[in-house]
Amino acid sequence: GHYTVYLPAYDDKRLLKVLKQIPDIQWQVFSKHSKKLLGEKNVTIQPIDNDAFIASMASCDGVLCGAGFETPAEALFMKKKLMVIPMKGQYEQQCNAAALKKMGVPVLKSLKQENIRKIEAWINDGDSIEVNYPDITEEIIKRLIALHADAEPVVQKAEVEMYSVKKFR
């Protein structure tokens, strides 16, 4: 029944100002700017704590975060509703946001008053994006072994040559 928020580019004041305007939602904000737990109306701001963050994400209805790699990837893997706001001036985040947008993830340019309706629409109408990343590790290993089955064992040869050099010095 809550939404997890991690937007380190925004200070707590801005986050409170915007998120309080969506009063029907409980927001659990994790902030690098906060040293203690703060609560105001429907918004809880707490210092970053890995265990608390994981617990919040595991039990949330959705995640509002930057467009880095880890948090959006975890949210998608956990089949959580996701909305991202890429950090300005961060090329990687802009690229990630473009890729996420192609996948159907809503992307906002900034956390401003004018985007409150978009956040509300995402809460009310948005779906989680189904991403299927099958575990093909075993298949990849088999292909690599088959590809290099006839290759000379390079490591062993190098070790023998190194031993020979040391022995005759």
Side-chain angles (χ1 to χ4, degrees):
H2 71 274
Y3 281 73
T4 301
V5 179
Y6 181 58
L7 291 167
Y10 293 95
D11 64 30
D12 299 346
K13 210 176 197 179
R14 166 79 72 82
L15 291 165
L16 272 170
K17 184 178 178 181
V18 172
L19 298 176
K20 283 192 317 186
Q21 293 184 53
I22 308 169
D24 297 337
I25 299 299
Q26 291 300 311
W27 299 97
Q28 291 184 5
V29 178
F30 290 83
S31 169
K32 71 176 190 175
H33 308 287
S34 182
K35 301 291 182 233
K36 61 183 180 178
L37 183 67
L38 305 167
E40 197 171 312
K41 296 189 179 183
N42 60 320
V43 182
T44 303
I45 297 179
Q46 55 193 302
I48 296 170
D49 174 272
N50 196 47
D51 292 336
F53 184 72
I54 290 169
S56 179
M57 275 191 67
S59 61
C60 74
D61 289 340
V63 177
L64 176 62
C65 63
F69 177 77
E70 195 169 344
T71 303
E74 288 171 354
L76 289 170
F77 180 78
M78 295 168 69
K79 297 178 177 32
K80 299 295 180 179
K81 194 185 293 193
L82 175 65
M83 176 179 268
V84 298
I85 305 173
M87 293 172 81
K88 290 188 182 349
Q90 295 286 328
Y91 182 71
E92 177 193 357
Q93 291 221 359
Q94 299 300 321
C95 292
N96 290 347
L100 288 166
K101 190 173 187 174
K102 280 186 177 183
M103 294 170 64
V105 173
V107 176
L108 298 178
K109 288 186 178 184
S110 63
L111 187 66
K112 290 184 178 177
Q113 296 290 121
E114 62 208 39
N115 288 325
I116 289 174
R117 290 200 197 289
K118 291 178 183 177
I119 297 170
E120 289 174 327
W122 166 67
I123 290 166
N124 296 323
D125 306 323
D127 293 321
S128 63
I129 305 299
E130 188 75 28
V131 179
N132 181 21
Y133 294 120
D135 183 359
I136 58 170
T137 307
E138 189 175 337
E139 184 181 327
I140 292 169
I141 291 170
K142 285 179 183 177
R143 285 184 186 179
L144 286 170
I145 290 170
L147 185 65
H148 299 287
D150 296 331
E152 187 177 335
V154 177
V155 174
Q156 288 179 351
K157 183 180 177 185
E159 287 173 354
V160 168
E161 288 173 0
M162 213 164 127
Y163 174 75
S164 298
V165 170
K166 284 182 183 176
K167 187 177 176 184
F168 296 107
R169 276 191 181 173

